Amino acid sequence: MFKVYGKMFLKTFFIQSLWNFERLQNIGFLFVLKPFLDKVYLNPDRRKEALMRHTGFFNTHPYMANIIIAITANAEKEIAAKEAAAEKLPDTNFIKSVMAGPLAAIGDSFFWGTLRPFTAFLSIFFVILFSKVLDPSYSWIVPFIFLFTYNCVHIPARYWFLSISFKLDKEMLAVVPKLEIKFLGDMARYTGFLLVIASLVFYFKIFGFSAVHTNFLTPAIPDAFVFGIVLVVSIIFGRMSATFMFYSVVLLCVLMSYLGL
Amino acid sequence: MIIESTVIFAIIAALCSADVTAFGQFMICRPIFCAPLFGYLMGDINTGLWIGMIVEMVWINAIPLGTAVPIDIASISINATFWACKYYPSIHEAAICALLFSIPFAYFYKEIDINGRNLNIGIMRWVEKGIREGKEHRINTGIFVSLFLFILRAFVFYLIVMFLGGVIFQLIYLQMPAFVIAGLKKAWYLLPILGFGSVIYNFKNIRIPFIKR
């Protein structure tokens, strides 16, 4: 069975390969579950029934899906063990649909909304440092800092979600709220925000008060003055499209050059 | 330059793009990783790092939540780094110009991605029909065909955009008036500030741990 779990874990990386607008991750889910169904359903007709059960709509966060996969696999094992149709069988689709939404919210908030920005901010902090303070010949380390810090949380978390959910089954749903994901998320967001502020301070110090780079207005006025205005405006108009803001800033720079500032 | 061939760069770009949804989500598709990667392969990692930093921060809220398909920021950073490092290495103005050019292509790639996901509906139905007929192997086939088509789509897109887009970018950049070039040089220093503003806006409602509200 250990071989089957290993196979399932490797297959979880393909869960979104056949993502489609009609039923989203349904075939991806089936792809991960198939080695387990092959093992527990030796009768091809019953296996076909089981496979057909999972062709319906399914969507959750790709990392958190491992919890649902393991719990569904346990339910399928229970169904496979019961021969008579009259026996009370677990409703796997109900289990899937009930869990998908809340787990997607946790995954989106923690992995997409917190861990990814945190690791990106850490790398950005080093980009600023390598631009002047540290030796730029070692700047190749920056993308690896990002990839390493993200994946040293992501890959073990994915493995743990799958293995522990196989052991705990539905009790895992009671464990998830106790994981203090919200606290960890708050900590990471707060630390990430501090890194951004530190990066901003370094940026102002390196580029804002130096005459060697560029002069936005006159040499008498430091660039930090223009930086400050753009920073405040970009925070105020933060709701606007990033693309629009990007082109606006470039246009502003071209306009300043045209006016001879 | 370590690798000269655009074909090889297009393959690497397609593999990075597959990480967005199709395989893994190891974050090799993020600008802060793929832009320096391309910069390193083309012998100018610092331009790649700066482009990656700008794109990562400015489009910080471009997240694929639910069925939403956001702008493909991986293609912005990859194309911009490729053009800037290939035609005008270490020239900041050219890097910003490359960024300006790469954004419309990112919207175009988003449309390609949406069409690909619609195409997947057909593959999904083919798999479902196969299961009904007892052809279980179609599950594996469907997944790998879909993944292959994703990578193929991305490869063709990058190959055309890197080559043709690069030629057009090179010609247009040479025709730009001096004041525009000077403006782009200013933007090199000002765009990270826009990125910081975008990050602060998106993280302004932060809760301080240990202090309960």
Side-chain angles (χ1 to χ4, degrees):
Chain A
M1 211 59 177
F2 188 75
K3 203 176 160 190
V4 174
Y5 295 156
K7 220 174 184 180
M8 286 173 79
F9 174 66
L10 291 178
K11 283 186 163 200
T12 56
F13 295 109
F14 294 85
I15 193 162
Q16 298 206 117
S17 294
L18 190 40
W19 198 102
N20 60 85
F21 279 117
E22 195 178 283
R23 287 179 237 168
L24 288 77
Q25 298 167 334
N26 65 335
I27 302 297
F29 184 89
L30 207 51
F31 179 70
V32 183
L33 199 61
K34 196 173 175 297
F36 191 86
L37 297 180
D38 287 344
K39 193 85 180 167
V40 296
Y41 289 104
L42 298 175
N43 180 332
D45 290 331
R46 290 199 72 200
R47 188 166 64 240
K48 192 169 97 177
E49 255 176 54
L51 289 169
M52 284 306 291
R53 263 198 293 277
H54 300 290
T55 54
F57 178 92
F58 178 72
N59 189 44
T60 190
H61 188 275
Y63 303 170
M64 304 302 279
N66 289 11
I67 295 175
I68 305 176
I69 288 162
I71 295 172
T72 309
N74 283 337
E76 285 295 345
K77 197 177 177 183
E78 202 182 321
I79 294 169
K82 290 175 180 175
E83 286 296 325
E87 285 183 79
K88 196 174 180 291
L89 301 174
D91 186 350
T92 52
N93 281 323
F94 177 74
I95 295 168
K96 277 163 68 180
S97 60
V98 163
M99 288 188 295
L103 289 177
I106 293 170
D108 287 341
S109 161
F110 183 74
F111 290 104
W112 288 176
T114 305
L115 182 64
R116 188 160 70 182
F118 169 75
T119 51
F121 299 157
L122 186 67
S123 306
I124 287 162
F125 179 69
F126 281 103
V127 173
I128 305 288
L129 289 185
F130 275 113
S131 66
K132 283 287 165 205
V133 182
L134 301 175
D135 182 359
S137 58
Y138 292 103
S139 58
W140 55 267
I141 205 167
V142 174
F144 291 100
I145 290 173
F146 171 74
L147 208 61
F148 179 76
T149 47
Y150 185 83
N151 285 306
C152 75
V153 177
H154 152 227
I155 298 172
R158 258 180 144 167
Y159 180 77
W160 187 76
F161 287 150
L162 191 71
S163 60
I164 200 78
S165 302
F166 265 117
K167 279 185 197 149
L168 297 178
D169 198 17
K170 292 184 195 75
E171 282 176 36
M172 184 62 188
L173 298 178
V175 171
V176 172
K178 291 177 192 165
L179 289 176
E180 295 285 3
I181 285 178
K182 193 164 170 17
F183 175 75
L184 286 173
D186 283 345
M187 283 286 285
R189 281 169 76 90
Y190 182 64
T191 316
F193 192 73
L194 289 180
L195 279 170
V196 170
I197 299 299
S199 307
L200 190 61
V201 170
F202 272 112
Y203 194 87
F204 266 74
K205 194 169 160 29
I206 295 167
F207 301 105
F209 297 97
S210 168
V212 293
H213 302 294
T214 179
N215 288 120
F216 282 90
L217 297 171
T218 63
I221 303 169
D223 291 343
F225 178 73
V226 181
F227 287 0
I229 292 171
V230 171
L231 183 69
V232 171
V233 169
S234 60
I235 295 169
I236 293 169
F237 294 99
R239 285 181 72 122
M240 297 186 88
S241 149
T243 308
F244 174 78
M245 293 295 281
F246 181 90
Y247 279 113
S248 301
V249 168
V250 176
L251 199 65
L252 174 79
C253 291
V254 172
L255 203 65
M256 281 198 289
S257 293
Y258 181 70
L259 296 172
L261 294 172
Chain B
M1 238 187 262
I2 294 171
I3 305 170
E4 291 286 342
S5 171
T6 308
V7 175
I8 295 170
F9 279 112
I11 293 170
I12 298 169
L15 293 175
C16 286
S17 274
D19 185 66
V20 178
T21 50
F23 175 72
Q25 288 87 49
F26 298 107
M27 297 303 129
I28 58 167
C29 62
R30 296 306 295 178
I32 197 69
F33 180 80
C34 60
L37 173 73
F38 272 75
Y40 174 76
L41 293 173
M42 303 194 73
D44 184 11
I45 190 171
N46 292 325
T47 300
L49 276 170
W50 205 262
I51 288 174
M53 177 182 74
I54 291 171
V55 177
E56 187 73 52
M57 287 201 294
V58 172
W59 282 274
I60 189 81
N61 58 359
I63 302 172
L65 292 177
T67 57
V69 182
I71 180 175
D72 188 69
I73 57 171
S75 75
I76 298 179
S77 46
I78 289 172
N79 286 327
T81 310
F82 179 79
W83 293 335
C85 296
K86 186 175 170 73
Y87 298 109
Y88 306 102
S90 302
I91 299 177
H92 300 162
E93 306 86 295
I96 297 301
C97 185
L99 268 173
L100 290 174
F101 269 78
S102 61
I103 295 167
F105 288 108
Y107 280 100
F108 178 60
Y109 187 75
K110 177 186 163 180
E111 294 306 315
I112 294 174
D113 192 17
I114 290 169
N115 283 322
R117 290 170 195 228
N118 281 322
L119 179 76
N120 281 351
I121 296 173
I123 301 173
M124 183 267 291
R125 285 184 184 153
W126 177 78
V127 172
E128 194 182 23
K129 192 170 171 257
I131 297 167
R132 213 174 286 122
E133 291 167 359
K135 295 170 186 166
E136 293 171 15
H137 64 273
R138 281 196 186 178
I139 298 170
N140 292 0
T141 313
I143 289 284
F144 290 118
V145 164
S146 175
L147 183 61
F148 174 74
L149 289 176
F150 188 102
I151 294 171
L152 185 69
R153 272 194 305 271
F155 169 71
V156 172
F157 166 80
Y158 280 111
L159 192 64
I160 294 169
V161 169
M162 279 175 171
F163 183 71
L164 285 180
V167 171
I168 297 165
F169 157 74
Q170 190 189 10
L171 291 174
I172 291 177
Y173 181 74
L174 287 174
Q175 303 300 319
M176 281 183 168
F179 76 89
V180 176
I181 302 285
L184 295 178
K185 191 171 172 60
K186 287 181 196 292
W188 174 266
Y189 294 103
L190 209 51
L191 282 169
I193 295 293
L194 171 70
F196 283 119
S198 178
V199 168
I200 292 170
Y201 175 80
N202 282 288
F203 284 77
K204 65 182 186 297
N205 296 326
I206 206 151
R207 276 165 54 101
I208 301 170
F210 309 112
I211 299 173
K212 282 192 175 179
R213 284 187 200 165

